[in-house]
Amino acid sequence: DIVMTQTPLSSPVTLGQPASISCRSSQSLVHSDGNTYLSWLQQRPGQPPRLLIYKISNRFSGVPDRFSGSGAGTDFTLKISRVEAEDVGVYYCMQATQFPLTFGGGTKVEIK
Amino acid sequence: QVQLVQSGSELKKPGASVKVSCKASGYTFTNYAMNWVRQAPGQGLEWMGWINTNTGNPTFAQGFTGRFVFSLDTSVTTAYLQISSLKAEDTAVYYCARGELRYFDWLSSRFDYWGQGTLVTVSS
């Protein structure tokens, strides 16, 4: 199975400041079709997960442009350019390149 | 708009069974896979597997074979998760999530819409 490792576990951020979350996979997420199926999900307190980013850097419908994804191969990053109060929650990376689909352990974003 | 609406919380005794429903609307049900994800209390997300909404064929991740059943009723655009012989460690929130299916390797490329979750508590 592909292991997804996220750092940091927790990220206290000042409102209006940037935040960055790293996700590393135990093997390359480049699929034989040439795509890299790495997604980022946000889970606000008491809410279900919500898709933010898919295929490394594509924002899903309705996702604010302060969220951006980057990376390649085994190393990926989610950035929030200016954290807002509504961004508090846990963020997960997820790989859908290989069976079984696997998630990172999560990174908690909280306000300082 | 796309919606996945799940059934309400359940409290079950060890050894009992539970059936969670996931009612889909706002899209053509059979054009997308339905995935199931478990989240134990205070823990992360774990993919349980998926069901092909065209054929009804289920696929399970390791650790979710035997006591777990995925099923469908396409007439009411609803997917179901049934767990039998419940154990305390099955206590979790269970989510359904729509998957954009890749037909060449039968995996979902992304989980774009999620149900609100169903809390299943197993306790004597």
Side-chain angles (χ1 to χ4, degrees):
Chain A
D1 297 4
I2 296 178
V3 177
M4 307 295 288
T5 303
Q6 288 184 233
T7 53
L9 287 179
S10 177
S11 179
V13 185
T14 301
L15 285 173
Q17 293 301 301
S20 181
I21 300 169
S22 173
C23 175
R24 180 166 290 179
S25 57
S26 60
Q27 53 189 277
S28 174
L29 297 186
V30 180
H31 194 280
S32 57
D33 70 354
N35 290 303
T36 300
Y37 295 104
L38 185 282
S39 297
W40 289 97
L41 302 156
Q42 175 196 59
Q43 187 173 32
R44 292 169 171 152
Q47 296 294 312
R50 165 197 177 201
L51 178 64
L52 293 178
I53 303 281
Y54 63 97
K55 287 198 287 186
I56 301 178
S57 59
N58 295 275
R59 267 189 304 277
F60 187 57
S61 175
V63 174
D65 60 7
R66 65 179 180 275
F67 291 95
S68 64
S70 63
T74 61
D75 286 287
F76 306 92
T77 302
L78 175 70
K79 291 183 178 173
I80 311 173
S81 59
R82 295 172 305 279
V83 170
E84 298 189 4
E86 66 178 17
D87 300 334
V88 164
V90 180
Y91 291 77
Y92 296 93
C93 58
M94 183 193 103
Q95 70 82 18
T97 292
Q98 184 183 116
F99 181 94
L101 308 190
T102 49
F103 295 89
T107 295
K108 189 172 187 177
V109 170
E110 49 197 359
I111 305 301
K112 273 185 191 173
Chain B
Q1 73 284 22
V2 174
Q3 279 194 302
L4 300 177
V5 179
Q6 297 184 225
S7 49
S9 298
E10 300 268 11
L11 173 59
K12 296 290 185 182
K13 294 191 185 306
S17 295
V18 69
K19 193 169 186 178
V20 175
S21 66
C22 171
K23 164 74 175 171
S25 62
Y27 70 99
T28 302
F29 184 66
T30 51
N31 283 357
Y32 293 83
M34 192 64 76
N35 292 266
W36 290 93
V37 176
R38 181 171 78 178
Q39 187 169 39
Q43 301 300 307
L45 303 170
E46 187 177 17
W47 183 62
M48 301 172 67
W50 70 286
I51 186 164
N52 185 321
T53 54
N54 273 295
T55 65
N57 185 48
T59 299
F60 298 95
Q62 194 171 9
F64 295 100
T65 55
R67 298 187 299 115
F68 299 83
V69 174
F70 302 150
S71 61
L72 302 169
D73 185 342
T74 54
S75 68
V76 291
T77 63
T78 300
Y80 301 94
L81 162 66
Q82 186 164 354
I83 311 171
S84 60
S85 303
L86 283 163
K87 308 173 184 180
E89 50 263 42
D90 293 322
T91 295
V93 176
Y94 293 85
Y95 294 102
C96 58
R98 191 181 85 161
E100 192 174 77
L101 191 59
R102 301 197 297 264
Y103 290 94
F104 48 87
D105 64 359
W106 301 105
L107 289 177
S108 294
S109 297
R110 66 183 194 185
F111 294 173
D112 54 4
Y113 290 93
W114 292 65
Q116 83 275 20
T118 297
L119 173 62
V120 175
T121 303
V122 183
S123 173
S124 54

